[in-house]
Amino acid sequence: MALEAQNFRIGQITDIHLIVTNDEEDSLQSVNSFKKTLEDAKKFNLDLLVFSGDLTEHSYKEEYELFFEMVKDYDHPCCFIAGNHDSSLDLEKYSPIPIVLKSGDYYYKKIVNGNPIFFLDSSSGSVSKQQLEWIESEAKKEKGEIFLFVHHPPCHCGHLFMDSRYALKNWKEVGETLDRIPNLHSIFVGHYHSAMEVKRGKNQTVYLTPATQMQLDPDSVDFHILSKVPGWRYIEYSGGKLSTLIRYL
């Protein structure tokens, strides 16, 4: 018997880009920014904390080891997905928590207080056909609302630099699948290093969460750092209504 959906509080931290060496390459202070963000998230007694990709800068072993070392003392449920700076194969190799890949992708579903939360793998720059078939099939099994986390936005977002250079390669195909999931209304992403809310389709909202590393100017066609202040997203679902809050530190 399925659990009745209840309220939840979820945190989303994204685009950490950890660099182990504290030299000129880490001029954006990735380690310090992540530490500060994680400490802030600890204040909220979250039901789940999601690290939604680009955990590392280079997908080096030492960067994954640092990430897991930094989160090991976080004593509430948490999970992660890979971003384009990561590798799901490397995540499987270096994660101290056993994870299961399917055809090289790390995607899965979690139930949080009776609410189905889906996680897709776009670390290759695309979302595989196998994943799209899986989420469409699994969503049909859920009577209530579902929620989705994926690193790349499944649409263009009006971000001049990222849309033109680093958009999801098969965003149209992904969007066609998501359009066929009527109980999906809220999609949480990272990748664009900006806080935005974008309406897509008839009844879906894509929530772009700011990075811990740095924020990019969405109105510039070139790479332009708007801020080096880290940010994360607090998500609350209560009484069938979703609200979110961006916290800059």
Side-chain angles (χ1 to χ4, degrees):
M1 182 177 179
L3 292 173
E4 182 180 352
Q6 301 175 22
N7 303 340
F8 65 61
R9 293 187 291 182
I10 292 177
Q12 182 192 6
I13 293 177
T14 193
D15 297 278
I16 304 163
H17 293 270
L18 280 179
I19 296 176
V20 171
T21 53
N22 190 21
D23 56 14
E24 292 181 1
E25 190 178 19
D26 197 21
S27 61
L28 294 170
Q29 298 291 304
S30 67
V31 177
N32 289 338
S33 291
F34 181 43
K35 181 178 180 181
K36 186 187 299 185
T37 306
L38 193 57
E39 287 299 318
D40 193 54
K42 288 179 180 179
K43 302 173 185 177
F44 286 78
N45 192 29
L46 298 168
D47 297 302
L48 182 67
L49 179 57
V50 179
F51 302 103
S52 62
D54 283 359
L55 315 178
T56 70
E57 177 66 16
H58 308 98
S59 199
Y60 292 163
K61 174 184 177 183
E62 295 78 11
E63 293 169 344
Y64 290 111
E65 289 175 341
L66 177 59
F67 170 77
F68 288 112
E69 176 67 22
M70 292 181 72
V71 303
K72 74 176 185 180
D73 293 328
Y74 181 76
D75 56 3
H76 292 283
C78 64
C79 65
F80 50 85
I81 51 176
N84 54 293
H85 277 253
D86 307 311
S87 157
S88 293
L89 292 174
D90 288 339
L91 263 180
E92 180 191 37
K93 185 186 303 182
Y94 300 123
S95 171
I97 308 160
I99 65 175
V100 177
L101 304 187
K102 289 168 274 189
S103 300
D105 293 326
Y106 184 44
Y107 60 97
Y108 53 98
K109 176 175 70 172
K110 293 180 76 72
I111 304 297
V112 179
N113 295 346
N115 300 278
I117 316 291
F118 287 79
F119 301 86
L120 294 179
D121 186 341
S122 65
S123 59
S124 67
S126 301
V127 178
S128 64
K129 181 179 179 181
Q130 178 175 303
Q131 293 185 69
L132 296 179
E133 292 174 348
W134 170 81
I135 190 172
E136 187 171 4
S137 173
E138 288 295 315
K140 290 177 181 177
K141 301 175 184 178
E142 304 294 344
K143 295 181 180 180
E145 187 164 2
I146 71 169
F147 304 85
L148 171 63
F149 286 85
V150 60
H151 183 67
H152 290 68
C155 58
H156 282 181
C157 301
H159 193 298
L160 300 183
F161 177 71
M162 294 299 290
D163 276 348
S164 63
R165 304 193 188 194
Y166 299 108
L168 186 69
K169 294 174 185 176
N170 64 334
W171 63 271
K172 290 184 179 179
E173 179 187 4
V174 173
E176 289 171 358
T177 298
L178 299 183
D179 285 339
R180 295 193 294 269
I181 304 177
N183 51 338
L184 172 63
H185 303 106
S186 303
I187 303 165
F188 300 95
V189 305
H191 187 53
Y192 274 30
H193 290 247
S194 295
M196 305 173 74
E197 291 186 15
V198 178
K199 299 293 183 182
R200 72 157 308 278
K202 294 181 179 180
N203 58 0
Q204 293 176 354
T205 301
V206 180
Y207 297 89
L208 287 81
T209 293
T212 68
Q213 185 201 39
M214 50 82 176
Q215 316 310 329
L216 294 178
D217 184 354
D219 297 320
S220 173
V221 296
D222 300 310
F223 179 88
H224 179 237
I225 296 176
L226 198 61
S227 168
K228 296 181 181 180
V229 174
W232 66 284
R233 186 182 293 275
Y234 171 78
I235 305 160
E236 186 168 311
Y237 186 63
S238 179
K241 293 184 179 180
L242 185 93
S243 60
T244 79
L245 172 68
I246 297 292
R247 289 183 62 83
Y248 288 109
L249 307 174

